[in-house]
Amino acid sequence: MAQEEYRCYKFQNLNQINLKKIDQARLADPRLNDYDVGFYFIDLAADNSSTDLSGTVTIIAKSQKENLGELVLELADELTISSIEVNGLNGTFSHENDLIVVTLNEPLAVGQQVEIAVTYSGTPPSDGGFFSGISRDFAEFNIPVTWTLSEPFNASDWFPVKQVLTDQADSAYIYITVPDDLMAAASGLLKNTVALDDNKVRFEWETRYPMAYYLLSMAIAPYQRYDQEVYLPGIPNPLPIQNFIYDDGRVVDDAIPLLEVTPDMMILFSELFGTYPFKDEKYGHAMAPMGGGMEHQTISTMAGFNFTLIAHELLHQWFGDAITCATWQDIWINEGFARYGEYLAIENLISKEDANSWLANDYNRILSAPDGSVYVPEEEAENVNRIFDFRLTYAKGGALLHM
């Protein structure tokens, strides 16, 4: 395999970034620390003709503060809220500066639970770059696709959310209603597919594993599903691998041979790092024209398939998903492990010689400039270009772990 095929550039369009989100404080409002998120229920209608969406997102949260009288969520101002319910009753709220402030019906004691349902619609903000929270573009052969990518600061572009890395939801439902000639891929298990009026269908995905806010996702396109399975060490039943590939024979014919390595990689990484962390659900891939890949929990979003990109996003399920850094300043741990996973996959599934060549190539990248720590300094913690600096976060992070 040519060395070029080993390269894994997760984020390729770093010059096209959402400056509004980068300029905001990492904690958009201190009141976000007043509660703990337990559950997201995302119930949206969307399609692949635009990024427009509508629906309701329900959040169950628990107070972390005595006499909590209001709850703050993040949602882009471009989206219009029609109503908010608090424990089933109409609620009072404000929505400005990308923040929703919900007045609770009565103050909450520490540990008391509340359910907030936000109904909204509109066209999310987008600069057309890689880091747009939701995008719509054409893949090869003119196939239209709509997909989300919330890392690091853009989940609020498409759903009401608490963007704090240290507060993972315990579980989530992601229900997506689309025209019946499309499919919607998301995290967890597909519990139901419901035919609706007006030639629509609802895909009901549910996950029972803790998840950081930026790992929730959806991808919508004319897909066909290519299923695999793998027997992992110590697990009696096979784990499903579900691949959402563009429904075009030319794409399918190219993709399937490249995907055959996925079960072997899952066995390898389970042996090296412990059993696949979401063993009661699935793993899979959903294609989108994004210029790389993104490790959405149990369903990596992929521009296409090659050996190292599959390895990189897969190993993220252990490091980045099951274990998530507490601050973007430590992102090298996520990306360094994923980069090191590429090396391990080459070493074990191709050859030691190819792995050494790959490693030498990364050393040359690292040494191409004299300075830089894998740790993102405080003054650069909002700079997406620095957070995802390939030489430092990826290559040097992986080399440090190899060392």
Side-chain angles (χ1 to χ4, degrees):
M1 188 179 292
Q3 187 69 26
E4 184 67 16
E5 292 182 82
Y6 295 154
R7 297 170 68 184
C8 174
Y9 290 96
K10 175 175 170 186
F11 300 120
Q12 294 184 343
N13 299 319
L14 291 176
N15 60 319
Q16 300 177 18
I17 51 181
N18 190 330
L19 295 176
K20 181 180 76 169
K21 292 299 178 185
I22 291 170
D23 289 342
Q24 75 176 10
R26 274 167 292 160
L27 184 65
D29 189 286
R31 290 171 291 182
L32 290 165
N33 284 327
D34 290 346
Y35 65 93
D36 175 68
V37 172
F39 173 68
Y40 287 108
F41 181 6
I42 298 172
D43 188 0
L44 297 176
D47 59 39
N48 65 339
S49 65
S50 71
T51 59
D52 293 355
L53 46 79
S54 62
T56 300
V57 172
T58 302
I59 298 159
I60 296 178
K62 186 180 294 183
S63 175
Q64 301 280 78
K65 176 184 177 181
E66 198 64 46
N67 294 317
L68 179 65
E70 58 187 12
L71 189 140
V72 174
L73 295 164
E74 299 171 69
L75 183 69
D77 290 340
E78 288 84 348
L79 295 166
T80 300
I81 299 173
S82 57
S83 68
I84 290 182
E85 291 187 354
V86 180
N87 291 331
L89 302 174
N90 288 334
T92 303
F93 66 93
S94 65
H95 183 204
E96 57 186 5
N97 300 320
D98 298 329
L99 293 175
I100 309 170
V101 180
V102 182
T103 301
L104 302 180
N105 300 331
E106 57 184 41
L108 301 180
V110 173
Q112 191 172 353
Q113 188 171 282
V114 65
E115 180 178 302
I116 307 290
V118 182
T119 300
Y120 65 103
S121 61
T123 303
S126 175
D127 60 7
F130 190 92
F131 290 100
S132 299
I134 182 170
S135 299
R136 186 264 184 181
D137 206 346
F138 289 93
E140 55 189 319
F141 308 119
N142 211 35
I143 298 169
V145 186
T146 297
W147 74 97
T148 62
L149 194 153
S150 299
E151 189 181 34
F153 307 123
N154 289 81
S156 60
D157 285 354
W158 66 283
F159 73 99
V161 63
K162 175 182 175 179
Q163 295 189 125
V164 177
L165 286 169
T166 53
D167 188 3
Q168 295 188 343
D170 300 321
S171 57
Y173 292 175
I174 308 171
Y175 288 11
I176 309 299
T177 298
V178 298
D180 61 11
D181 59 344
L182 303 176
M183 300 179 74
S187 295
L189 291 174
L190 184 60
K191 290 292 188 177
N192 209 358
T193 302
V194 181
L196 304 171
D197 294 337
D198 299 323
N199 299 314
K200 299 291 180 67
V201 60
R202 183 172 64 238
F203 291 85
E204 300 182 349
W205 295 91
E206 299 179 6
T207 179
R208 298 294 199 281
Y209 284 100
M211 188 187 307
Y213 69 86
Y214 72 93
L215 297 172
L216 290 153
S217 73
M218 65 177 181
I220 300 166
Y223 291 123
Q224 67 167 273
R225 204 173 89 186
Y226 171 60
D227 288 347
Q228 302 166 279
E229 64 179 26
V230 59
Y231 284 89
L232 296 176
I235 299 177
N237 299 316
L239 179 88
I241 304 171
Q242 298 172 348
N243 303 289
F244 291 81
I245 306 171
Y246 304 137
D247 191 16
D248 185 296
R250 295 165 292 184
V251 180
V252 173
D253 289 346
D254 286 343
I256 287 178
L258 297 171
L259 286 165
E260 293 309 305
V261 74
T262 309
D264 291 337
M265 287 184 181
M266 295 193 73
I267 293 169
L268 172 66
F269 292 157
S270 291
E271 290 172 343
L272 293 174
F273 298 106
T275 302
Y276 174 67
F278 311 110
K279 61 183 177 61
D280 293 329
E281 294 185 353
K282 72 167 190 309
Y283 185 59
H285 305 97
M287 297 187 76
M290 62 190 307
M294 176 62 204
E295 65 276 11
H296 294 123
Q297 194 159 302
T298 76
I299 182 78
S300 293
T301 309
M302 310 283 279
F305 302 106
N306 65 56
F307 186 90
T308 49
L309 185 60
I310 293 171
H312 184 103
E313 306 307 339
L314 174 59
L315 191 56
H316 264 311
Q317 302 298 310
W318 282 260
F319 296 96
D321 293 13
I323 299 174
T324 303
C325 56
T327 165
W328 295 111
Q329 292 178 263
D330 291 315
I331 188 62
W332 75 270
I333 301 173
N334 292 22
E335 298 301 345
F337 265 106
R339 188 69 178 169
Y340 183 41
E342 298 176 46
Y343 170 87
L344 292 170
I346 298 168
E347 179 186 42
N348 287 276
L349 301 178
I350 299 179
S351 75
K352 180 68 172 178
E353 180 181 9
D354 283 317
N356 287 340
S357 177
W358 180 96
L359 189 61
N361 207 25
D362 256 17
Y363 286 165
N364 288 334
R365 291 191 184 101
I366 298 162
L367 296 171
S368 65
D371 298 315
S373 169
V374 293
Y375 183 72
V376 179
E378 180 73 27
E379 64 272 16
E380 300 250 44
E382 301 302 317
N383 183 346
V384 173
N385 293 284
R386 178 60 184 88
I387 292 172
F388 298 108
D389 182 288
F390 183 79
R391 183 178 73 90
L392 300 176
T393 297
Y394 291 74
K396 192 171 184 178
L400 179 60
L401 289 167
H402 184 272
M403 181 180 68

